[in-house]
Amino acid sequence: MSVYKINIAGCERELPICPINEHMDIAGFVMFSDVEVTEAVAKALLAKCPEHDVIVTAESKGIPLAYEMARIGCRNYVVARKGVKAYMEDPIHVEVKSITTDHVQKLYLSKADCENLRGKRILIVDDVISTGESLAAMEELLREIGGNVVGKACVLAEGDAKDREDILFLEPLPLFFK
């Protein structure tokens, strides 16, 4: 298997090259089970981020990052879920199409999450931002409930996302065209 070598916050990693379609491959970055990277990138990313009251991420790959950033920072985070759970009272949702999924997904926040976020300074975080579709959906969801997005941050900015001026990131990540 081909790999892409990268240094992220002082951690050397080899990311597997994964096919997305007949025209493009991506380097697969997954923080799950990589405590060293999660801790290092959380600290490095927090140093670049504006002051905030709460961190929001989408289920699921951004969860370790959101947790670690909240643990060492603001002590508060919320996960926008991909499905309604039994404990979620009066959930609201938006639809999102991501580069790594083959279908439209929904992101949900419960009434309690909305109350926690309303009027707060919110930092949106994710592992990778590529097309920005997930990010735009999160912003729409937060705007709908009266949240104040003060920053958008990710570990890796994939493809053209590296040229965006509205996101903070640690490293660029190329796309691999065939």
Side-chain angles (χ1 to χ4, degrees), residues 29-168:
F29 175 64
V30 180
M31 284 189 299
F32 291 137
S33 304
D34 195 336
V35 175
E36 180 185 28
V37 163
T38 302
E39 290 177 345
V41 300
K43 184 177 179 185
L45 208 48
L46 268 178
K48 298 179 92 167
C49 290
E51 286 190 34
H52 54 277
D53 303 310
V54 61
I55 292 170
V56 174
T57 195
E59 190 176 30
S60 68
K61 288 184 356 187
I63 294 173
L65 177 63
Y67 167 81
E68 184 62 14
M69 289 176 74
R71 188 187 70 77
I72 61 177
C74 67
R75 313 289 293 170
N76 189 4
Y77 77 103
V78 170
V79 177
R81 304 297 305 259
K82 289 184 179 173
V84 175
K85 305 300 178 193
Y87 61 82
M88 296 176 79
E89 183 182 336
D90 299 328
I92 64 165
H93 76 275
V94 292
E95 292 186 349
V96 61
K97 176 74 173 94
S98 168
I99 190 173
T100 55
T101 55
D102 61 356
H103 59 284
V104 173
Q105 297 179 315
K106 292 181 180 180
L107 293 175
Y108 297 88
L109 290 173
S110 69
K111 180 179 177 181
D113 291 333
C114 295
E115 289 169 2
N116 181 22
L117 295 167
R118 193 169 290 111
K120 300 272 179 67
R121 297 174 299 172
I122 300 167
L123 176 66
I124 299 173
V125 302
D126 209 346
D127 60 335
V128 178
I129 293 176
S130 186
T131 64
E133 293 295 322
S134 298
L135 184 63
M138 293 271 292
E139 285 184 281
E140 179 185 334
L141 190 59
L142 295 168
R143 192 172 31 255
E144 193 174 307
I145 59 126
N148 175 24
V149 176
V150 295
K152 299 169 276 191
C154 63
V155 179
L156 303 174
E158 188 172 53
D160 291 341
K162 72 181 182 326
D163 300 324
R164 291 178 61 153
E165 295 184 11
D166 65 325
I167 63 170
L168 302 164

